[in-house]
Amino acid sequence: MSTAAPRFQLTSPALLAALVVLFIVPGLTGHDLWKSQDAIALGVVHDMAVRGHLLVPHVAGATWLEDGPLYHWVALAFGKLFGFALEFQDAARLASGAFVAAALAFLYSAARRWTGDEEAAPAAGAAALLLLLGAVGFMVRAHQALPELAALAATSGAFAALALRSEDSAPARAAGVGAAFGAALGLAFLAGSWIAALALFITAAAAQLVCPSWRTAKAVPFLLAALVVCVLVGGAWPATLALHSPDAFDEWWRGLRYLHGSIGENARHLVANASWSAWPAWPLALWSVWSLRRKWLAPRLFVPGASLVVMAALQIAHGEPRDESLLLLLAPLALLAVPGLFTLRRGAVAALDWFGVLAFAFFTGLLWLGYSALTLGVPAPVARNLERIAPGFTPHVQPLALVFAFALALAWIYLVFFTPFNPMRGVLRWAGGMVLLWGTFALLLMPWVDYQKSYRSVALQLRSHIPAGARCIAERSLGMSQAAALDYHGGIRARPFDPLEPEACPLVIVQIDPRYAVDTTPPALDRHAWRLLADVGRPGDRSERYRLYRLAK
């Protein structure tokens, strides 16, 4: 009886659901657009809502085809459905929570089915869910408006379909499973991740030959159905784009084929960023590969391992330019790490366990220290440093947020001191620490961070200095995420400055780095005389200033 109790507690669906909700909900709403990708994605969604550009995504008046439209469509639906109760950016960002929940649920299902042992299935599913939830790089990005979250959910759904492929079934049912797999790949493509879709299809095709349990008559109907449905789902938007907007299709196709950086640079970027963002899944995945090396032909090891290798190789070759692309590696890493987790020695489990406990206790303590400095002025040196970082910020104690932060701390303390030893205890307490750290930050310090990162004050100040009746505004060196935020918060939609015809648009917004600006002369605005109307920036931001100029008559 005593040995069964820990397993039930650690894999309880109610406990896992509580962790998922406590991880997703705090910080998903209650803040403005943050650069870079959060602002761009919400800018696209806002443009869809206001101007109806559903087929060709736009941001601040410019076409934006670097991401697929799936996330934006779903976020638009959330924005419309819940806009009556929340600000539009908060309502739209609920799509991120939905995609994160879907990714966690699909991974849970995939790991359960791949275990092949009814008794061990709950623990395997819980481990995969906790490893994704506990990934260091997932914490902040899971709460931003990122198209990669839609791709992560679709990729996790594809793994869940592949887990169904491992179950005994008739060829007719294999075609149905293949259709589900193909639909997931098509959705991943629509979310902007052709790399994940291609890597998973290559892996699934190779597994039909490599894995003995998959070399059956079901292989052909499975792959054929997957290919047909993937092309139909994933190709629907590009085909429509080619018919109705050939120029936009050509731009999208060029961007799809464009290679970023060298292979060496891309490899260093991937390794350097994945080494911390995929912790603790990647060391556990390496242990799985080593400890179960004689069983690598089993689909539950080969499929996530091979897909991880192919996905990483394609990212290195193509040079995915954003750190957010690494999110897609978390799903196969979590699944690959699960079998090895239960072969770890007791000492290794305890080391991971207590390292997480001490680390999260330390960093959460720093958050409480910062909150004390902001609200009580104690300790004074920390309060002065925080004031320098965000000058002008006025803290307000929110009793409800404070109560929830205390409740999170008490729940985590209970998890630390009253959880019996179990191979899963380390990942459970790590995930619990991640929930504690993010929840404490979101509940106590989110207003202070949003005060610095929001462009709302910049947009409103610039808007107030724009003369009435201005027919147009030009821009120089304005970043895409900054342009999206100015358009969203202030209705400021600038077009590129034309040095050959400056009179065509006599108002210009110039983004500069004041650390390198030697005077107030408008950079690159040629020899014409310009009058400075406004010079604004975010509080405490020393790298960005926004100057509004008017052409002198």
CSV table of all heavy atoms in Angstrom, one decimal, residues 96 100 137-146 149 273 276-277 323-324 326-327:
chain,number,residue,atom,x,y,z
A,96,SER,N,-2.4,31.6,-27.2
A,96,SER,CA,-1.1,31.0,-26.8
A,96,SER,C,-1.4,30.0,-25.7
A,96,SER,O,-0.8,28.9,-25.7
A,96,SER,CB,-0.2,32.1,-26.3
A,96,SER,OG,0.2,32.9,-27.3
A,100,VAL,N,-0.6,26.0,-25.9
A,100,VAL,CA,0.3,25.4,-24.9
A,100,VAL,C,-0.4,24.2,-24.2
A,100,VAL,O,0.2,23.1,-24.1
A,100,VAL,CB,0.7,26.4,-23.9
A,100,VAL,CG1,1.4,25.7,-22.7
A,100,VAL,CG2,1.7,27.4,-24.5
A,137,GLY,N,13.5,27.5,-21.3
A,137,GLY,CA,13.2,28.4,-22.4
A,137,GLY,C,11.7,28.5,-22.7
A,137,GLY,O,11.3,29.3,-23.5
A,138,PHE,N,10.9,27.6,-22.1
A,138,PHE,CA,9.5,27.6,-22.4
A,138,PHE,C,8.7,28.6,-21.5
A,138,PHE,O,7.6,29.0,-21.8
A,138,PHE,CB,9.0,26.2,-22.2
A,138,PHE,CG,7.6,25.9,-22.7
A,138,PHE,CD1,7.3,26.2,-24.1
A,138,PHE,CD2,6.6,25.3,-22.0
A,138,PHE,CE1,6.0,26.0,-24.6
A,138,PHE,CE2,5.4,25.0,-22.5
A,138,PHE,CZ,5.1,25.4,-23.8
A,139,MET,N,9.3,28.9,-20.4
A,139,MET,CA,8.6,29.7,-19.3
A,139,MET,C,8.0,31.0,-19.8
A,139,MET,O,6.8,31.2,-19.7
A,139,MET,CB,9.5,29.9,-18.1
A,139,MET,CG,8.9,30.7,-17.0
A,139,MET,SD,10.0,30.8,-15.6
A,139,MET,CE,11.3,31.9,-16.2
A,140,VAL,N,8.9,31.8,-20.4
A,140,VAL,CA,8.4,33.1,-20.9
A,140,VAL,C,7.7,33.0,-22.2
A,140,VAL,O,6.6,33.6,-22.4
A,140,VAL,CB,9.6,34.1,-21.0
A,140,VAL,CG1,9.1,35.5,-21.5
A,140,VAL,CG2,10.2,34.3,-19.6
A,141,ARG,N,8.2,32.2,-23.1
A,141,ARG,CA,7.7,32.2,-24.4
A,141,ARG,C,6.3,31.5,-24.5
A,141,ARG,O,5.5,31.8,-25.4
A,141,ARG,CB,8.6,31.4,-25.3
A,141,ARG,CG,9.9,32.2,-25.6
A,141,ARG,CD,10.9,31.4,-26.3
A,141,ARG,NE,12.2,32.2,-26.5
A,141,ARG,CZ,13.4,31.7,-26.6
A,141,ARG,NH1,13.5,30.4,-26.4
A,141,ARG,NH2,14.4,32.4,-26.7
A,142,ALA,N,6.0,30.7,-23.5
A,142,ALA,CA,4.6,30.1,-23.5
A,142,ALA,C,3.6,31.1,-23.2
A,142,ALA,O,2.4,30.9,-23.4
A,142,ALA,CB,4.6,29.0,-22.4
A,143,HIS,N,3.9,32.4,-22.8
A,143,HIS,CA,3.0,33.4,-22.4
A,143,HIS,C,3.0,34.6,-23.3
A,143,HIS,O,2.5,35.7,-23.0
A,143,HIS,CB,3.3,33.8,-21.0
A,143,HIS,CG,3.1,32.7,-20.0
A,143,HIS,ND1,4.2,31.9,-19.7
A,143,HIS,CD2,2.1,32.3,-19.2
A,143,HIS,CE1,3.8,31.0,-18.8
A,143,HIS,NE2,2.5,31.2,-18.5
A,144,GLN,N,3.7,34.4,-24.5
A,144,GLN,CA,3.7,35.5,-25.5
A,144,GLN,C,2.9,35.0,-26.7
A,144,GLN,O,2.6,33.8,-26.9
A,144,GLN,CB,5.2,35.8,-25.9
A,144,GLN,CG,6.0,36.4,-24.7
A,144,GLN,CD,7.4,36.7,-25.1
A,144,GLN,OE1,8.0,36.0,-25.9
A,144,GLN,NE2,7.9,37.8,-24.6
A,145,ALA,N,2.7,36.0,-27.6
A,145,ALA,CA,2.0,35.7,-28.8
A,145,ALA,C,3.0,35.2,-29.9
A,145,ALA,O,3.6,36.0,-30.6
A,145,ALA,CB,1.2,36.9,-29.4
A,146,LEU,N,3.2,33.9,-30.0
A,146,LEU,CA,4.2,33.3,-30.9
A,146,LEU,C,3.6,32.3,-31.8
A,146,LEU,O,3.0,31.3,-31.3
A,146,LEU,CB,5.3,32.7,-30.0
A,146,LEU,CG,6.1,33.5,-29.1
A,146,LEU,CD1,7.1,32.7,-28.3
A,146,LEU,CD2,6.8,34.7,-29.8
A,149,LEU,N,4.2,28.6,-31.1
A,149,LEU,CA,3.4,27.8,-30.1
A,149,LEU,C,2.3,27.0,-30.9
A,149,LEU,O,2.0,25.8,-30.5
A,149,LEU,CB,2.7,28.7,-29.1
A,149,LEU,CG,3.7,29.5,-28.2
A,149,LEU,CD1,2.9,30.4,-27.3
A,149,LEU,CD2,4.5,28.5,-27.3
A,273,ASN,N,22.0,28.1,-27.5
A,273,ASN,CA,20.7,28.4,-26.9
A,273,ASN,C,19.9,27.2,-26.4
A,273,ASN,O,19.2,27.3,-25.4
A,273,ASN,CB,19.8,29.2,-28.0
A,273,ASN,CG,20.3,30.6,-28.2
A,273,ASN,OD1,19.9,31.5,-27.5
A,273,ASN,ND2,21.2,30.8,-29.2
A,276,TRP,N,20.6,25.8,-22.7
A,276,TRP,CA,19.9,26.3,-21.5
A,276,TRP,C,18.4,26.3,-21.6
A,276,TRP,O,17.6,26.0,-20.7
A,276,TRP,CB,20.3,27.7,-21.1
A,276,TRP,CG,20.0,28.8,-22.1
A,276,TRP,CD1,20.7,29.2,-23.2
A,276,TRP,CD2,18.7,29.5,-22.2
A,276,TRP,NE1,20.0,30.2,-23.9
A,276,TRP,CE2,18.8,30.4,-23.3
A,276,TRP,CE3,17.6,29.5,-21.5
A,276,TRP,CZ2,17.8,31.2,-23.7
A,276,TRP,CZ3,16.5,30.3,-21.9
A,276,TRP,CH2,16.6,31.2,-23.0
A,277,SER,N,17.9,26.6,-22.9
A,277,SER,CA,16.4,26.6,-23.0
A,277,SER,C,15.8,25.3,-23.0
A,277,SER,O,14.6,25.1,-22.6
A,277,SER,CB,16.1,27.3,-24.3
A,277,SER,OG,16.5,26.6,-25.5
A,323,ASP,N,15.2,32.7,-32.0
A,323,ASP,CA,15.4,31.7,-30.9
A,323,ASP,C,14.1,31.0,-30.7
A,323,ASP,O,14.1,29.8,-30.2
A,323,ASP,CB,15.8,32.5,-29.6
A,323,ASP,CG,17.1,33.1,-29.7
A,323,ASP,OD1,17.9,32.7,-30.6
A,323,ASP,OD2,17.4,34.0,-28.9
A,324,GLU,N,12.9,31.6,-31.0
A,324,GLU,CA,11.6,30.9,-30.8
A,324,GLU,C,11.5,29.6,-31.6
A,324,GLU,O,10.7,28.7,-31.2
A,324,GLU,CB,10.5,31.8,-31.2
A,324,GLU,CG,10.3,33.0,-30.2
A,324,GLU,CD,11.3,34.2,-30.6
A,324,GLU,OE1,12.0,34.0,-31.6
A,324,GLU,OE2,11.3,35.1,-29.8
A,326,LEU,N,13.5,27.2,-31.6
A,326,LEU,CA,14.0,26.1,-30.8
A,326,LEU,C,12.9,25.5,-30.0
A,326,LEU,O,13.1,24.4,-29.4
A,326,LEU,CB,15.1,26.6,-29.8
A,326,LEU,CG,16.4,27.2,-30.5
A,326,LEU,CD1,17.3,27.7,-29.5
A,326,LEU,CD2,17.0,26.1,-31.4
A,327,LEU,N,11.7,26.2,-29.8
A,327,LEU,CA,10.6,25.6,-29.1
A,327,LEU,C,10.2,24.2,-29.7
A,327,LEU,O,9.7,23.3,-29.0
A,327,LEU,CB,9.4,26.5,-29.1
A,327,LEU,CG,9.5,27.8,-28.2
A,327,LEU,CD1,8.3,28.7,-28.5
A,327,LEU,CD2,9.6,27.4,-26.8
